[in-house]
Amino acid sequence: MDLIKKESLEELLQPQAHVWNHIFYFINSMSLRCAIQLSILGIVHNHHQSITLSELATKLAFPKTKTACLFCLMCLLVHSGFFAIRKEGYVLTPSSRLLFKDNTMSMLPFLQSMLDPILVTPWHSMSALFQGNGLKAFELNKNFNEAMVSATRLGMSVVVTESKGVFEGLRSLVDVGGGIGIVANTIAETFPTMKCAVFDLPHVVTTLKVNENLIYIAIDMFESIPHADALLLKVIIVDMVVDGHKVKHKFTETQERTEKEWEMLFLESGFTHYKITPILGLRSLIEVYR
Ligand SMILES: C[S@@+](CC[C@H](N)C(=O)[O-])C[C@H]1O[C@@H](n2cnc3c(N)ncnc32)[C@H](O)[C@@H]1O
């Protein structure tokens, strides 16, 4: 109460809006999930031209009483960039097009998995993580591998197009913790003479089919990593903590590093130089050389 008295009421409006935003952030994700569950994206797509609110309500077979709610949902999704307004109706945007199952770059499985209650519910126990009893809550669900594929496909297409030179001349490559192989597959297809291998845990890779220049090896990366011209780790180091000189994998103890901290990590680990290429939106391609 004392703290509030020191500021004028007007000065509190901006902080109040800030707090509101943080309370209601989850509505963005949940609204998007709702639109997917109601097949709104598909309906807009199949309409082949902009679709009005009442046309959409009719196609959804909603009773009239729900039109106002639908309007609110669509306003929010327009605001967050998943629909745009054209000629008084809704149309898709590049972001919503990424959420179609048939799109080869589809992020739909990633969305469905990350926003599944199995993965969302544990966030309610986030404080338990700090108190030492929340690890189990962050265990991955069975859709995780599929989710990783959909999160990876677009990025890999960018990598092998924009940064093809990084892989040129390599005779062999091992994708460490490569999941079900979407990254290695993309590289193996782009460079047919390169021998590629995916290393991952037995429950992830044992049933996967090999092809001409791509094999899967079930192994724990902390037990052994083979020799190859290049080792690739995608979304792996973020899942590790460095404890002295020992790297431990702990999904729930991730940490972010500045470039300076990355540099220290690389040099202290015996690498001589590195290059960071920020080509992946939120992520970068980092090359590290011995
Ligand atoms: C975040 S996923 C990244 C998958 C893939 N690199 C990608 O970007 O799509 C982490 C992967 O590491 C694998 N993994 C975790 N611990 C491992 C271990 N000790 N040895 C080998 N793979 C492991 C998991 O099974 C999972 O497929």
Side-chain angles (χ1 to χ4, degrees):
M1 208 52 198
D2 282 345
L3 275 174
I4 291 177
K5 274 186 197 154
K6 285 182 193 153
E7 307 185 39
S8 76
L9 282 179
E10 233 166 73
E11 282 172 330
L12 285 175
L13 291 178
Q14 187 59 33
Q16 187 195 46
H18 185 222
V19 173
W20 267 340
N21 267 331
H22 278 73
I23 293 171
F24 294 121
Y25 268 152
F26 71 93
I27 293 178
N28 284 325
S29 323
M30 292 306 141
S31 302
L32 184 55
R33 183 167 185 260
C34 169
I36 302 277
Q37 287 175 326
L38 294 174
S39 306
I40 293 180
L41 277 70
I43 292 173
V44 174
H45 175 67
N46 293 337
H47 198 66
H48 300 299
Q49 54 187 325
S50 70
I51 184 165
T52 63
L53 184 70
S54 61
E55 286 169 334
L56 183 59
T58 307
K59 297 231 165 169
L60 285 164
F62 281 177
K64 275 234 165 339
T65 50
K66 301 283 178 200
T67 309
C69 293
L70 181 62
F71 177 66
C72 292
L73 176 67
M74 294 308 290
C75 282
L76 201 139
L77 292 166
V78 167
H79 182 73
S80 50
F82 288 96
F83 293 103
I85 307 271
R86 295 272 178 284
K87 297 184 188 152
E88 295 174 9
Y90 303 107
V91 292
L92 298 176
T93 65
S95 310
S96 45
R97 281 190 204 100
L98 273 182
L99 293 170
F100 279 86
K101 188 165 83 235
D102 299 336
N103 184 337
T104 46
M105 302 298 174
S106 177
M107 294 189 72
L108 183 63
F110 190 60
L111 179 147
Q112 285 171 326
S113 183
M114 293 301 136
L115 297 183
D116 187 297
I118 292 172
L119 282 193
V120 171
T121 308
W123 289 98
H124 290 276
S125 319
M126 200 174 170
S127 57
L129 269 184
F130 296 98
Q131 291 158 340
N133 50 12
L135 283 175
K136 278 213 174 101
F138 277 75
E139 279 172 2
L140 310 178
N141 77 352
K142 63 178 171 23
N143 295 328
F144 182 76
N145 293 327
E146 189 67 11
M148 285 313 301
V149 169
S150 85
T152 293
R153 197 169 269 133
L154 175 58
M156 277 317 293
S157 302
V158 174
V159 167
V160 294
T161 316
E162 302 294 314
S163 289
K164 203 171 175 187
V166 171
F167 301 97
E168 257 152 16
L170 295 178
R171 290 158 305 171
S172 58
L173 175 139
V174 170
D175 187 359
V176 183
I180 58 174
I182 181 72
V183 172
N185 252 299
T186 313
I187 295 172
E189 274 170 17
T190 315
F191 301 95
T193 57
M194 192 192 297
K195 295 217 170 319
C196 299
V198 173
F199 266 45
D200 210 297
L201 296 170
H203 68 273
V204 179
V205 293
T206 31
T207 57
L208 299 174
K209 288 205 180 88
V210 300
N211 68 29
E212 289 258 303
N213 58 333
L214 173 65
I215 56 167
Y216 295 90
I217 299 172
I219 201 161
D220 183 330
M221 69 171 99
F222 295 108
E223 281 168 14
S224 117
I225 291 188
H227 289 287
D229 284 355
L231 298 181
L232 180 78
L233 292 100
K234 184 180 159 296
V235 200
I236 298 295
I237 296 182
V238 293
D239 292 351
M240 294 177 178
V241 273
V242 177
D243 171 15
H245 292 292
K246 208 168 162 236
V247 179
K248 287 195 285 177
H249 183 279
K250 284 191 176 177
F251 184 72
T252 48
E253 292 184 19
T254 61
Q255 75 180 67
E256 286 187 13
R257 291 186 178 82
T258 61
E259 182 172 347
K260 203 78 215 138
E261 288 166 336
W262 278 116
E263 184 180 333
M264 264 172 55
L265 180 67
F266 297 148
L267 300 182
E268 281 173 9
S269 310
F271 294 99
T272 56
H273 58 291
Y274 72 94
K275 184 177 167 198
I276 298 182
T277 315
I279 53 164
L280 294 170
L282 291 175
R283 290 187 175 144
S284 296
L285 177 68
I286 308 180
E287 299 160 66
V288 191
Y289 295 92
R290 281 211 185 270

